[in-house]
Amino acid sequence: MAKSEGGIMETVKTVFWALLIAGIFRTLFFQPFWIPSGSMKDTLLIGDFLFVNKMAYGYSRHSCPFSACPFEGRIFGSEPERGDVVVFRHPTNGTDFIKRVIGLPGDRVQMIDGVLHLNGEPVEITPQPDFEEVVGPQGPQGHQPRCSNAPVGEGALCTKERATETLPGGVTHSILNIEDGTRGDNTPEFVVPEGHYFVMGDNRDNSIDSRFPQSIGGVGFVPFENLLGRADRVIFSSAGARMVYFWTWRSDRFFREIE
């Protein structure tokens, strides 16, 4: 009996320490994040689940896992690069957002007729086949997709123009366009301040990002210290209102690398 009890206790200890280590690992190095909106389609879909690499840019007072951190600024981290998909704390309202880094400190960023211009030069745009999805509620909040071919009834096919955008340095990613002539399609030229970044959603007409000032609910420039981490890979994806609805799982997106 003593041997049996000793074996059970050893098992309990092993499980305890395994859970403790896993919890510490998650707290220090990774943060789970569910995609709640369509602002990053078609790179990220509503219902995608991912882990944010918190060590990619180091720790700040926002990303530190402890209640009180003994440092200001950032430690251990590297600098973001153009094209990184990042999770960050909104500079004014504290909400966690996910967008793509477009402009680095010192860059001049402008949208002209829906085309991104960096430092006075238009980026390369290559047309691709339209992005298609079925009209219907998406995710726990039941968002309805916006469509280039609107009005579109429930259950019908919703389309958006799609293209590949190539940033300086060669990073490529997919972008979507719903309609021409929107406010975000033509902007003044922004000069990114030192220590800040200019971010945008890949679903350009359905994203509140650095093109819009914080005074009207936009993101504005994102301080380096507000970056929580980099999103590298989708771990799991569900198109339904609940994760347990296994018939809505998107198995083709499991462990997909984020480009």
Side-chain angles (χ1 to χ4, degrees), residues 3 49 85 132 177-178:
K3 272 191 175 182
F49 175 78
V85 175
E132 299 179 340
N177 178 55
I178 300 173

Side-chain angles (χ1 to χ4, degrees), residues 31-85:
Q31 174 178 320
F33 191 85
W34 283 97
I35 302 301
S37 74
S39 70
M40 283 295 293
K41 289 179 181 177
D42 65 331
T43 303
L44 296 170
L45 304 182
I46 295 175
D48 281 351
F49 175 78
L50 49 89
F51 282 106
V52 179
N53 180 357
K54 297 174 72 173
M55 290 300 294
Y57 311 125
Y59 283 121
S60 72
R61 60 188 175 86
H62 293 292
S63 58
C64 180
F66 308 108
S67 58
C69 290
F71 57 83
E72 290 293 331
R74 281 191 169 264
I75 59 173
F76 306 129
S78 61
E79 297 293 325
E81 298 180 0
R82 286 195 196 91
D84 284 0
V85 175

Side-chain angles (χ1 to χ4, degrees), residues 1-49:
M1 178 67 70
K3 272 191 175 182
S4 176
E5 290 178 353
I8 292 173
M9 287 305 299
E10 285 301 317
T11 301
V12 170
K13 287 180 181 178
T14 300
V15 171
F16 170 78
W17 285 111
L19 291 174
L20 180 63
I21 292 170
I24 293 173
F25 188 80
R26 171 210 176 274
T27 302
L28 289 175
F29 302 113
F30 296 97
Q31 174 178 320
F33 191 85
W34 283 97
I35 302 301
S37 74
S39 70
M40 283 295 293
K41 289 179 181 177
D42 65 331
T43 303
L44 296 170
L45 304 182
I46 295 175
D48 281 351
F49 175 78

Side-chain angles (χ1 to χ4, degrees), residues 15-16 26 36 43 48 78 96 103 139 154 158 185 203 223-224 231 235:
V15 171
F16 170 78
R26 171 210 176 274
T43 303
D48 281 351
S78 61
D96 289 351
E154 190 91 2
C158 169
D185 281 347
N203 190 1
F224 182 47
I235 303 301

Side-chain angles (χ1 to χ4, degrees), residues 71-149:
F71 57 83
E72 290 293 331
R74 281 191 169 264
I75 59 173
F76 306 129
S78 61
E79 297 293 325
E81 298 180 0
R82 286 195 196 91
D84 284 0
V85 175
V86 299
V87 174
F88 60 92
R89 189 68 45 83
H90 190 285
T92 58
N93 66 28
T95 305
D96 289 351
F97 275 52
I98 185 165
K99 305 290 181 187
R100 189 180 297 277
V101 174
I102 296 297
L104 304 178
D107 278 346
R108 294 179 288 117
V109 184
Q110 186 174 19
M111 293 293 292
I112 301 175
D113 294 332
V115 177
L116 172 65
H117 287 62
L118 284 172
N119 300 315
E121 297 292 332
V123 301
E124 180 183 344
I125 300 291
T126 306
Q128 301 292 342
D130 286 351
F131 172 68
E132 299 179 340
E133 58 185 338
V134 175
V135 174
Q138 299 180 348
Q141 298 177 355
H143 291 297
Q144 293 281 348
R146 293 179 58 199
C147 313
S148 296
N149 58 331

